[in-house]
Amino acid sequence: FAASCGLTPRQTAGPFYPGESQFTADNDLTRIPGHTLRAEGQVVYIKGQVLDQNCRAVANANVEIWQACASGKYNNSKDPNTAPLDPHFKYWGETFTDQKGEYVFKTIIPGSYPADTDWVRPPHIHFRISALGHRELITQMYFKGDALNDKDAILLDIPAGERDSVIVDFQSSSADLEPGSLTGNFNITLR
């Protein structure tokens, strides 16, 4: 019998998806070509593997991410947040998995932001994963230890036993990556 991998929980894309035409193959959101400064905020590397429900690597899967900058503002005209945009942050990027199903992004920890009068969203990054022969998945990744995680209606909508699969523990990066950066592992399982 094939091994069974737990499917990554589906979550909302939210109102700030930039649209497919906005994405270009770029997995470093901390620098914009032609800018000398890098994005504000704590630099993080998100590494992971895309698997199918039988725990097999999914090669050449398209992985898109989009997020707010360090102030909690999305680069989207629909975002009512009055926080400032970061002119040196890319806000979204995409990459493809290698033959082992592995991907990596370099970005920053996004800021929290008000979603309603009595609700503040915790820092999170939106993911959209698509691969030939698999169902498209939209989910969100959260940062372990953030106090707002315990109050977030979207995260709490995931059954308790599955929540840890979208909450990532970030640790100091290895010496070959940007000094002072953090690295977390976010594996994703598609149907």
Side-chain angles (χ1 to χ4, degrees):
F1 294 98
S4 179
C5 282
L7 298 174
T8 300
R10 294 182 171 281
Q11 294 192 276
T12 178
F16 308 127
Y17 179 70
E20 289 181 26
S21 64
Q22 297 295 319
F23 286 90
T24 55
D26 189 353
N27 65 345
D28 184 352
L29 281 64
T30 67
R31 296 199 178 269
I32 295 179
H35 289 226
T36 55
L37 299 176
R38 80 155 175 81
E40 294 179 22
Q42 172 63 59
V43 172
V44 294
Y45 291 86
I46 305 167
K47 297 182 175 188
Q49 187 178 32
V50 176
L51 303 168
D52 69 14
Q53 61 200 27
N54 297 311
C55 303
R56 295 179 299 221
V58 179
N60 207 34
N62 178 238
V63 183
E64 298 175 346
I65 66 170
W66 65 100
Q67 67 177 86
C69 64
S71 73
K73 175 82 172 168
Y74 283 85
N75 188 3
N76 188 300
S77 61
K78 296 177 190 172
D79 186 358
N81 188 352
T82 58
L85 288 169
D86 182 346
H88 307 293
F89 183 58
K90 195 158 182 298
Y91 291 91
W92 54 78
E94 80 174 324
T95 193
F96 290 86
T97 57
D98 64 16
Q99 291 304 307
K100 295 178 183 175
E102 295 175 346
Y103 74 91
V104 64
F105 284 100
K106 181 180 180 185
T107 185
I108 54 98
I109 297 176
S112 57
Y113 61 87
D116 206 338
T117 55
D118 59 348
W119 176 24
V120 177
R121 293 281 341 256
H124 62 280
I125 297 175
H126 297 264
F127 277 73
R128 178 178 180 231
I129 306 95
S130 55
L132 192 62
H134 297 82
R135 286 184 59 193
E136 178 183 278
L137 173 69
I138 294 176
T139 193
Q140 298 177 33
M141 185 212 79
Y142 301 83
F143 294 81
K144 185 175 182 177
D146 193 286
L148 293 171
N149 288 346
D150 296 334
K151 302 170 189 166
D152 187 60
I154 294 173
L155 179 57
L156 295 177
D157 195 41
I158 297 172
E162 298 176 27
R163 264 181 232 143
D164 284 346
S165 68
V166 295
I167 300 173
V168 176
D169 187 13
F170 283 80
Q171 302 293 325
S172 296
S173 295
S174 58
D176 59 324
L177 299 177
E178 183 171 321
S181 66
L182 303 173
T183 298
N185 192 63
F186 183 42
N187 292 331
I188 299 163
T189 306
L190 304 178
R191 183 178 301 280

